[in-house]
Amino acid sequence: MPGSYRCQCADGYQVWEGDNQKLGLECKDLDECSSSELNACAVRTTCENLEGSYKCTCGPGFEPVDKDEVEGVDMKCKDIDECEKKLCHAKATCTNSKKSYTCVCNAGYKGDGKKCLKSRKVKTGASGKLKYLPIKLLSIALIVHLWFLS
């Protein structure tokens, strides 16, 4: 209509209907992260609301598909293959899984997979069952045994 006007909020803002309506149109930040319909963040990303906008970053256990892109509104993320980063001991097997990984010491080694010690078979008791002991423990036992013999 001639002689009229229409105000609207800029992108990333919404009309605020508070106590100050007498002053005219007021806009407040729109939280684009409150709904997946309001942002373009892909699966495996985390949405962070910013004043008048938002950004997407890769969630825990994920990294950008494009190594040069650290954040953005349309970034894509992939699972981090921790096994490629060699986080397990050299004598352990690494198994990558979504957002995580596991390390297991190879046969003949004992430990948590990030640190593995070579084991030796030692007969124990009358049962004849074999028990694995780390070489460090066997060395200490031998030193103690030799000390008692002297």
Side-chain angles (χ1 to χ4, degrees), residues 8-63:
Q8 66 183 47
C9 296
D11 288 343
Y13 293 88
Q14 62 187 359
V15 174
W16 182 68
E17 296 180 15
D19 298 331
N20 297 329
Q21 286 299 310
K22 297 175 196 165
L23 301 175
L25 180 71
E26 288 191 47
C27 299
K28 75 171 199 168
D29 178 53
L30 171 65
D31 184 359
E32 293 89 353
C33 299
S34 65
S35 169
S36 61
E37 295 174 7
L38 298 174
N39 68 69
C41 290
V43 177
R44 301 183 184 122
T45 61
T46 301
C47 182
E48 181 184 340
N49 189 53
L50 304 172
E51 183 69 29
S53 186
Y54 67 96
K55 70 178 178 180
C56 308
T57 55
C58 292
F62 295 95
E63 64 186 358

